[in-house]
């Protein structure tokens, strides 16, 4: 069971006289960490700003899952050099997954020596002390913990949304898929206690939150490291009883660990939304094995069949990858065929990208032009299915949690169905935060257009 680490409230407070700018990259877990980083900065008296030139602290919360994510940060750091020269008191920090790789931390230190603060994913709770140290000693601080030491529970949070909240239920990953860097930068699986999760969610409900998304790299293995025999299905059953909470979502599920008990629980619970994100990655058994995913194509399809039987209107989405080392045209056809069989509502599609230090980096690579041609074909197929699935929703009346007006069209409201589809429709802004019934009129590629049912 993970040890608890105490967050210490900062002694020094700038009382609103200074500003911070925080930019976060990567997955929802990083977004949630960013909410803690903001919470701590505001606990120190800093105010948020979107303007680089106004900021006294600029913090980049980074991702390294693909090279593009890293390149963005290196590019941004290059552009910040000028600002730092013009404003030497500016504190520039880089944190998150990138510095958690030793060579990358070194590269940042070497190529961007003007960066004042570098820390990783395991010691974010120490942010106030590290900032104070930079200010006091007028020298750079580099503190990356090589491995995780526990879970900090009492970090203040500044959430981005007022209706929907991210709740991390576990940290780390034990799966070591052969292409993936996450287990190296996020450490081993650690579950928060059910009491801490329940407390956080009950507080959110009191604050007016209607929906929570439980986060973890593999939420299905929640609880395996706890002393008591309490698993993800038990947590869902307990959360389903919380009064005032309307919707529960979770991600990411690992297809290998989505067992029959979990299917029974999600099918029977009131608040658990009928949307399951089940990354398949590939449709070929040979590739799935080389990826170390722990399931076969047949087992994956059997799981989808069971879910659809238990929850007939379930929406299934996935992450899919093309161009994993050794992927032949036949393997790729297996992925296309899997997509045709499952008929995902949507999918995040990725081109395999070498991550040094992972086993797949040393395997025989697929040429770039083959990868780009395959991703085009995959996206084309998935788009066609997404559109057809959305068109099949036409005429249905669906429950929508209203999130507010749409960005480009202020007289239209936007919200999501329980199946996580975006719906736009006409209605008064006062409906924001409520659950309404909307009749779907038109299914488009990325959204549904509807009419409010009075
Ligand atoms: N834990 C989740 C899972 O098992 O599916 C997702 C973790 S990862 C942050 C999100 C997605 O990034 C993965 O599902 C995978 O498709 C993709 N990904 C991870 N490593 C990658 C790599 N080296 N190249 C391309 N895509 C990658
Ligand atoms: Fe990466 Fe696999 Fe862990 Fe997901 S389950 S974070 S893809 S190693
Ligand atoms: Fe990226 Fe780290 Fe998430 S590598 S995808 S931000 S866990």
């Amino acid at each position: 069971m993970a040890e608890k680490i105490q967050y210490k409230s900062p002694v020094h407070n700038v009382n609103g006289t200074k500003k911070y700018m925080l930019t976060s990259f990567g997955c929802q877990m990083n977004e949630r960490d960013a909410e803690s980083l903001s919470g701590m900065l505001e606990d120190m008296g800093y105010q948020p700003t979107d303007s680089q030139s106004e900021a006294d602290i600029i913090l980049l919360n980074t991702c390294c899952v693909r090279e593009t994510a890293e390149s963005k940060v290196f590019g941004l750091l290059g552009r910040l050099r000028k600002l730092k020269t013009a404003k030497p008191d500016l504190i520039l920090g880089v944190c998150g997954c990138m510095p958690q790789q030793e060579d990358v931390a070194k590269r940042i230190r070497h190529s961007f020596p003007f960066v004042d603060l570098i820390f990783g994913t395991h010691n974010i709770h120490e942010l106030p002390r590290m900032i104070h140290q930079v200010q006091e000693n007028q020298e750079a601080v580099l503190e990356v913990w090589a491995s995780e030491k526990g879970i900090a529970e009492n970090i203040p949070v500044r959430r981005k949304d007022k209706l929907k909240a991210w709740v991390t239920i576990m940290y780390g990953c034990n799966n070591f898929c052969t292409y993936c860097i996450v287990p190296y930068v996020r450490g081993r699986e650690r579950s928060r206690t059910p009491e801490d999760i329940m407390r956080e969610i009950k507080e959110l409900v009191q604050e007016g939150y209607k929906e929570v998304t439980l986060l973890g790299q593999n939420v299905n293995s929640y609880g395996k490291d706890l002393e008591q025999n309490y698993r993800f299905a038990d947590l869902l059953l307990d959360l389903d009883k919380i009064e005032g909470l309307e919707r529960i979502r979770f991600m990411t599920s690992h297809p290998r660990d989505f067992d029959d008990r979990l299917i029974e629980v999600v099918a029977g619970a009131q608040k658990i939304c009928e949307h399951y994100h089940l990354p398949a990655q590939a449709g070929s058994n040979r590739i799935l094995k080389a990826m170390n995913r722990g399931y076969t194509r047949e087992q994956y399809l059997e799981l989808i069949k069971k879910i659809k039987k238990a929850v007939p209107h379930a929406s299934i989405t996935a992450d899919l990858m093309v161009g994993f080392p050794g992927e032949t045209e036949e393997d790729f056809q297996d992925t296309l065929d899997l997509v045709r069989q499952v008929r995902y509502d949507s999918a995040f599609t990725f081109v395999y990208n070498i991550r040094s230090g992972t086993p797949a980096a040393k395997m025989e690579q697929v040429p770039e032009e083959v990868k780009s041609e395959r991703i085009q074909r995959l996206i084309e197929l998935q788009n066609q299915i997404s559109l057809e699935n959305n068109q099949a929703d036409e005429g249905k009346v669906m429950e929508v949690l209203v999130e507010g007006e749409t960005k480009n069209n202020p007289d239209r409201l936007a919200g999501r169905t329980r199946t996580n589809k975006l719906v736009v429709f006409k209605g008064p802004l006062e409906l924001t935060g409520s659950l309404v019934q909307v009749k779907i009129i038109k299914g488009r590629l990325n959204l549904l257009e509807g009419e409010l049912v009075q």
Side-chain angles (χ1 to χ4, degrees):
M1 196 168 144
E3 181 198 325
K4 281 198 194 176
I5 303 174
Q6 281 304 309
Y7 162 76
K8 291 193 193 84
S9 267
V11 183
H12 303 272
N13 198 302
V14 296
N15 294 319
T17 56
K18 290 190 172 185
K19 294 191 168 152
Y20 76 92
M21 182 177 158
L22 174 60
T23 308
S24 194
F25 303 84
C27 62
Q28 288 83 0
M29 302 211 54
N30 233 28
E31 287 286 335
R32 176 60 188 79
D33 282 354
E35 293 182 336
S36 293
L37 293 164
S38 293
M40 287 183 280
L41 287 162
E42 293 186 20
D43 203 22
M44 298 175 77
Y46 285 86
Q47 296 285 318
T49 175
D50 289 331
S51 150
Q52 282 181 2
S53 55
E54 270 188 12
D56 300 284
I57 295 184
I58 296 180
L59 201 51
L60 308 181
N61 188 31
T62 63
C63 167
C64 57
V65 78
R66 281 170 290 277
E67 202 180 355
T68 40
E70 291 197 331
S71 312
K72 274 188 211 157
V73 172
F74 287 129
L76 198 53
L77 283 175
R79 292 193 295 279
L80 284 169
R81 184 189 304 262
K82 227 169 133 186
L83 186 67
K84 176 74 186 172
T85 314
K87 197 174 169 184
D89 284 346
L90 167 73
I91 295 181
L92 191 53
V94 180
C95 61
C97 293
M98 271 172 76
Q100 208 57 59
Q101 307 163 95
E102 207 179 329
D103 55 328
V104 176
K106 277 189 190 144
R107 181 174 162 195
I108 298 171
R109 216 51 210 99
H110 181 77
S111 307
F112 308 96
F114 52 90
V115 172
D116 304 282
L117 178 56
I118 302 174
F119 59 103
T121 58
H122 301 312
N123 58 336
I124 66 168
H125 59 282
E126 300 221 306
L127 179 66
R129 183 197 47 79
M130 292 187 284
I131 289 179
H132 187 59
Q133 199 171 323
V134 171
Q135 286 163 333
E136 280 289 285
N137 303 347
Q138 295 287 307
E139 62 179 29
V141 168
L142 189 158
E143 282 190 30
V144 180
W145 290 4
S147 63
E148 68 281 2
K149 289 191 185 145
I151 296 177
E153 272 302 339
N154 55 341
I155 303 182
V157 193
R158 182 188 186 262
R159 297 188 191 262
K160 270 194 172 163
D161 200 281
K162 299 256 176 283
L163 275 181
K164 309 194 293 183
W166 305 115
V167 176
T168 303
I169 61 164
M170 60 185 299
Y171 298 87
C173 181
N174 289 358
N175 287 321
F176 290 95
C177 302
T178 54
Y179 50 80
C180 186
I181 194 80
V182 171
Y184 303 88
V185 294
R186 289 276 172 173
R188 295 297 66 74
E189 287 174 358
R190 288 95 75 201
S191 302
R192 291 178 67 199
T193 65
E195 296 76 30
D196 286 328
I197 297 168
M198 294 289 282
R199 184 182 28 77
E200 181 176 347
I201 295 180
K202 283 182 180 163
E203 280 169 15
L204 287 167
V205 171
Q206 276 177 2
E207 287 168 36
Y209 283 86
K210 297 279 192 299
E211 178 179 311
V212 292
T213 303
L214 312 176
L215 296 178
Q217 292 300 348
N218 176 9
V219 286
N220 311 148
S221 59
Y222 172 80
K224 283 184 184 166
D225 58 322
L226 291 174
E227 271 159 17
Q228 67 263 57
N229 184 13
Y230 188 92
R231 293 297 165 84
F232 186 51
D234 300 304
L235 179 68
L236 288 178
L237 282 173
D238 280 342
L239 296 179
D240 197 48
K241 293 181 203 134
I242 296 182
E243 237 173 89
L245 180 64
E246 303 282 1
R247 289 175 166 190
I248 303 167
R249 301 185 186 277
F250 52 86
M251 68 189 307
T252 297
S253 294
H254 196 296
R256 185 199 53 211
D257 299 324
F258 209 107
D259 58 22
D260 290 351
R261 173 151 188 253
L262 189 54
I263 297 178
E264 195 186 308
V265 167
V266 297
Q270 295 284 307
K271 296 171 182 178
I272 300 169
C273 292
E274 297 78 21
H275 168 224
Y276 312 106
H277 186 66
L278 282 159
Q281 310 298 356
S284 141
N285 280 337
R286 211 175 59 81
I287 297 296
L288 286 170
K289 191 156 189 254
M291 285 177 163
N292 190 31
R293 288 293 289 177
Y295 52 86
T296 61
R297 164 197 183 83
E298 292 73 25
Q299 285 166 332
Y300 183 87
L301 286 170
E302 181 60 26
L303 171 65
I304 301 295
K305 208 165 120 190
K306 280 188 197 166
I307 293 177
K308 285 189 174 173
K309 189 168 172 229
V311 188
H313 304 297
S315 167
I316 313 279
T317 58
D319 294 354
L320 300 165
M321 194 188 294
V322 303
F324 182 83
E327 184 190 68
T328 61
E329 174 60 25
E330 205 185 337
D331 294 319
F332 174 62
Q333 286 295 338
D334 283 345
T335 300
L336 293 180
D337 187 63
L338 184 90
V339 170
R340 283 190 204 99
Q341 287 201 44
V342 179
R343 294 188 61 80
Y344 295 109
D345 275 336
S346 64
F348 294 114
T349 51
F350 302 105
V351 173
Y352 167 77
N353 186 232
I354 295 182
R355 296 287 72 200
S356 72
T358 62
K362 294 192 199 83
M363 299 177 187
E364 199 187 323
Q365 303 296 317
V366 173
E368 287 305 320
E369 61 278 13
V370 175
K371 291 196 224 172
S372 20
E373 189 257 342
R374 284 183 190 160
I375 193 86
Q376 292 308 329
R377 283 152 72 196
L378 178 62
I379 292 173
E380 212 171 289
L381 173 64
Q382 181 52 52
N383 282 352
Q384 184 197 327
I385 294 171
S386 298
L387 178 63
E388 286 169 7
N389 285 2
N390 287 348
Q391 286 170 338
D393 284 337
E394 290 172 8
K396 289 183 191 163
V397 174
M398 294 178 151
E399 181 200 276
V400 173
L401 175 61
V402 186
E403 293 177 16
E405 57 190 17
T406 53
K407 273 188 204 134
N408 306 328
N409 199 339
D411 69 326
R412 291 215 293 180
L413 300 177
R416 291 208 175 247
T417 62
R418 286 174 65 99
T419 49
N420 207 31
K421 292 191 183 183
L422 180 65
V423 184
V424 294
F425 57 99
K426 276 201 175 134
L429 195 55
E430 300 80 72
L431 287 179
T432 302
S434 50
L435 292 167
V436 297
Q437 298 293 319
V438 176
K439 184 172 179 188
I440 306 308
I441 304 298
K442 185 94 194 137
R444 303 214 178 264
L445 176 58
N446 295 317
L447 59 84
L448 306 172
E449 290 174 3
E451 267 175 14
L452 194 61
V453 176
Q454 299 299 337

